[in-house]
Amino acid sequence: MVYKTKVTILSAIVAGLAVVYAGSLIFDPDRVNTQDAAYAWLDAKNIPRVDGIELKSVNGGVTLVRKNAAWFVSVDGQEYPAKPQRAEDVLSLLSKKDAYPVRGTEAASHERLGLLEDTAARITVRGGAGAVPFLDLLIGNTDASGNEVYLRKAGNNEARSGSLSISNYVSSAKTAWYNLRLFPETDTFTADDVQRVIATIPPDDTADGMLPSAPPTPVTLTFARTNGGWTVNGQEADAPKVESYIRSILDAEGDDFVTGETAASLSDGRIVLEFGNGTSRVISVGALLDTNNRNAAVSGSPYVYSLAGWVINRLFRTEDEFVKK
């Protein structure tokens, strides 16, 4: 009888301790704060319906639009190709549940945290014709550690903090969003498809910026695929160098888009790529500018690009570089 009584008492004690331990887990402040910190700003189910992202900072803003699964940067009524992955990364970051601990719940904290609606940076995510955006996120000051930024939804007093990644997207220059590849990723041809390259080298300008009185004779390099190798102007070429050169053409990128100029005005140099299926693409470049850049356009594309001097030097080479020694 005494034994049974002891077992009953001990069982009761163990049960009581278990209840206390469970309660300590449920009501532990650190555990509660961790659960409250797990948060996502954008409902992931809305991502397929998103057709616009507006990013605004004190230095300006960027508007991204999605049309037919492709992203564009909208500038003064013109639309330029955007880096598709960069736009998708913004949506992924906003919809991913992460640590965003609550830092304030009263409107009185908004000014101190840099979260006033008329001065804070902002990301607005829209979809369809609805007037109410999927997300209108205000981005305020960085915290004392410099590792996090304060955030809140417009119209909501609750302020949270999170990684600087969101702030970095808003502060990016417009050109960081542009897809400035002369041949975008959607083009299906590769270097293996190229059968011939004809490069007409643009003339050098004189030191004072004036063209010579008599136009120089254009220098042209013709690369042809022959018997599994390459020739340049009829001479045997170093095949790996030619193939590397062709890849550099296909991978070339500009510094920026140029407005107010058309491909018709770019006639100082050109590169013709001829493909095995009988089609061709032409890169046309214009005169040397004060910045040491040249403007360029690609046949079949409505865009004009600004190409840096080092890119021009990669596109237009000398015959000696390719002749097999």
Side-chain angles (χ1 to χ4, degrees):
M1 186 69 179
V2 174
Y3 173 76
K4 290 184 177 180
T5 301
K6 288 182 177 180
V7 170
T8 302
I9 293 173
L10 289 174
S11 298
I13 292 172
V14 170
L17 290 173
V19 170
V20 171
Y21 177 72
S24 68
L25 289 178
I26 295 172
F27 297 106
D28 176 61
D30 291 336
R31 184 180 177 87
V32 171
N33 289 339
T34 300
Q35 291 174 336
D36 288 344
Y39 190 78
W41 297 101
L42 178 67
D43 191 335
K45 72 181 181 184
N46 289 325
I47 290 181
R49 301 164 55 198
V50 172
D51 57 22
I53 306 173
E54 298 167 14
L55 302 104
K56 175 187 173 185
S57 71
V58 294
N59 299 319
V62 173
T63 298
L64 307 174
V65 295
R66 180 157 59 181
K67 294 183 176 180
N68 299 321
W71 284 99
F72 299 88
V73 181
S74 179
V75 181
D76 299 328
Q78 299 281 344
E79 293 179 353
Y80 300 98
K83 293 176 180 175
Q85 191 56 53
R86 186 171 172 81
E88 296 294 342
D89 285 347
V90 174
L91 297 178
S92 176
L93 177 63
L94 295 173
S95 61
K96 178 184 177 182
K97 186 168 286 190
D98 208 338
Y100 294 103
V102 175
R103 301 303 187 187
T105 58
E106 302 295 332
S109 67
H110 294 170
E111 183 173 7
R112 174 176 58 84
L113 300 179
L115 292 172
L116 295 176
E117 294 205 13
D118 56 348
T119 57
R122 204 172 197 133
I123 297 179
T124 306
V125 181
R126 302 183 183 279
V132 179
F134 292 138
L135 175 65
D136 193 1
L137 180 64
L138 303 175
I139 303 165
N141 302 329
T142 55
D143 67 359
S145 71
N147 296 322
E148 293 194 334
V149 65
Y150 296 112
L151 307 154
R152 78 175 176 95
K153 289 184 178 181
N156 189 328
N157 285 336
E158 182 181 82
R160 293 175 177 262
S161 68
S163 168
L164 285 174
S165 300
I166 293 177
S167 180
N168 292 339
Y169 280 113
V170 174
S171 61
S172 294
K174 191 174 297 181
T175 51
W177 296 95
Y178 287 149
N179 186 353
L180 290 160
R181 289 177 58 95
L182 272 59
F183 298 97
E185 297 85 349
T186 52
D187 283 339
T188 57
F189 51 75
T190 68
D192 292 337
D193 300 318
V194 177
Q195 300 300 305
R196 191 162 73 149
V197 181
I198 305 171
T200 303
I201 300 173
D204 290 331
D205 291 344
T206 58
D208 61 2
M210 299 297 291
L211 291 174
S213 56
T217 302
V219 176
T220 298
L221 303 185
T222 300
F223 301 87
R225 194 185 289 274
T226 307
N227 298 324
W230 285 90
T231 61
V232 53
N233 289 351
Q235 304 178 75
E236 184 180 2
D238 187 319
K241 287 185 179 179
V242 175
E243 290 164 3
S244 175
Y245 170 57
I246 293 172
R247 286 192 294 271
S248 72
I249 296 172
L250 296 177
D251 293 339
E253 295 188 26
D255 281 351
D256 201 350
F257 289 108
V258 178
T259 59
E261 190 162 18
T262 63
S265 65
L266 307 175
S267 58
D268 277 47
R270 58 188 277 155
I271 295 175
V272 181
L273 299 172
E274 297 180 356
F275 302 101
N277 62 2
T279 63
S280 64
R281 299 290 286 274
V282 180
I283 303 173
S284 303
V285 303
L288 186 68
L289 304 175
D290 292 341
T291 58
N292 203 37
N293 285 18
R294 292 180 188 264
N295 294 336
V298 181
S299 59
S301 168
Y303 308 109
V304 176
Y305 305 82
S306 174
L307 299 187
W310 68 269
V311 176
I312 292 293
N313 291 337
R314 286 182 63 188
L315 295 180
F316 296 98
R317 315 277 280 277
T318 65
E319 181 181 301
D320 288 344
E321 295 180 65
F322 298 100
V323 174
K324 191 168 184 178
K325 304 299 192 288

